[in-house]
Amino acid sequence: MATAAQWIEGARPRTLPNAIAPVLAGTGAAASLDGAVWWKALLALLVSLALIIGVNYANDYSDGIRGTDDVRVGPVRLVGQRLASPAAVRNAAMLSLGIAAVVGLVLAATTAWWLLLVGVACLAGAWFYTGGSKPYGYSGFGEIAVFVFFGLIGVLGTEFVQAEQIDWAGAVLAVSVGAFSSAVLVANNLRDIPTDSQSGKVTLAVKLGDPRTRTLQLALLTVPFLGTLLLVARTPFALVGLLAIPLAVRANAPVRSGKGGLELIPALRDSGLAMLAWSALTALAISFG
């Protein structure tokens, strides 16, 4: 039976910045329109955190029962390493996704009922990433999904439930956070190219190959800082986002130096930290600028 520490690691805490950053950015966008509603921001954060923990457990379950995780070079996999039963991990995923659904329902009820459709799309995207008979994560669409769900929807949804409108600055923030989130997944899938290739999991990294995947990660880490330059039109204080450049450079260091396997784990961690720092700094800048 898995220990509490193993359950926590199975939730993949290194991915939590992917859930926190869009809410920070979306709240900053809402605040720049004088529309920030802090209790809605907190509910949006709860939805985002529950969703990403749910998708992580769902991936652990689906990959584990397929045998994809039988040989891993990364962190703990509860099902693949026989630390917890598939049913227990599946139930943990359902519980987390259920929390996201209930809290999302509150946000929809207090904002606009059509947001329920967005919520259904998010839940379906979480489960069918590696679940179902034809998981889209096994066909190279994972990075696109992360860009959409934890970039565009995460940021613009957070902005809309508070300000009840979206604007161009929110769109720039959404694209930037989506690029960061995708960079985290690209680093993860770069690490897993050898094992994914053997198990039949055809990620974008497997399709592109090692050299082009490394180039893609660098390109994605560059996008948010181009976004910073665009946001200067909203406020010159947006330039504070450039302070996150050293973190992005550090995140790319293992990738550009040709590291592989466990040596790429810092790239995941540091990509997430760069995203979190950029989002926090930029949100504050446009809120008070």
Side-chain angles (χ1 to χ4, degrees), residues 31-281:
S32 74
L33 298 173
D34 296 320
V37 181
W38 298 108
W39 67 268
K40 285 191 173 185
L42 290 174
L43 289 184
L45 179 60
L46 181 54
V47 169
S48 193
L49 287 169
L51 190 62
I52 202 162
I53 291 171
V55 74
N56 286 339
Y57 281 137
N59 291 349
D60 192 304
Y61 165 76
S62 296
D63 284 342
I65 62 173
R66 281 190 172 88
T68 307
D69 284 344
D70 286 351
V71 180
R72 298 293 301 178
V73 294
V76 161
R77 294 296 183 263
L78 295 168
V79 176
Q81 294 175 233
R82 311 296 190 270
L83 298 172
S85 70
V89 177
R90 181 195 61 211
N91 291 342
M94 291 300 181
L95 176 61
S96 297
L97 295 177
I99 291 171
V102 170
V103 179
L105 181 61
V106 174
L107 284 173
T110 55
T111 308
W113 282 106
W114 59 262
L115 289 172
L116 288 175
L117 298 176
V118 178
V120 169
C122 290
L123 292 173
W127 183 258
F128 291 109
Y129 173 49
T130 56
S133 59
K134 293 184 178 179
Y136 64 85
Y138 280 57
S139 300
F141 295 105
E143 284 78 4
I144 294 174
V146 165
F147 180 83
V148 171
F149 292 119
F150 290 102
L152 302 185
I153 292 177
V155 175
L156 295 177
T158 299
E159 181 182 20
F160 184 81
V161 297
Q162 295 180 66
E164 299 196 14
Q165 60 177 306
I166 58 176
D167 69 338
W168 70 267
V172 172
L173 286 161
V175 170
S176 299
V177 172
F180 264 132
S181 290
S182 295
V184 175
L185 185 57
V186 166
N188 179 81
N189 289 343
L190 172 65
R191 180 198 67 200
D192 292 340
I193 285 177
T195 54
D196 285 344
S197 298
Q198 292 173 9
S199 63
K201 186 175 183 179
V202 187
T203 62
L204 181 61
V206 170
K207 288 184 174 183
L208 292 177
D210 187 289
R212 285 187 291 181
T213 299
R214 293 177 190 274
T215 301
L216 175 61
Q217 207 253 0
L218 175 60
L220 288 168
L221 288 175
T222 302
V223 168
F225 301 104
L226 299 177
T228 293
L229 301 181
L230 293 175
L231 289 169
V232 170
R234 172 61 57 89
T235 171
F237 293 117
L239 289 172
V240 73
L242 297 179
L243 293 175
I245 287 178
L247 284 172
V249 171
R250 189 173 75 178
N252 183 246
V255 177
R256 67 175 179 271
S257 63
K259 303 291 187 188
L262 292 173
E263 293 179 313
L264 282 170
I265 290 179
L268 279 73
R269 178 199 64 208
D270 294 338
S271 294
L273 291 175
M275 169 171 52
L276 204 55
W278 184 90
S279 299
L281 290 168

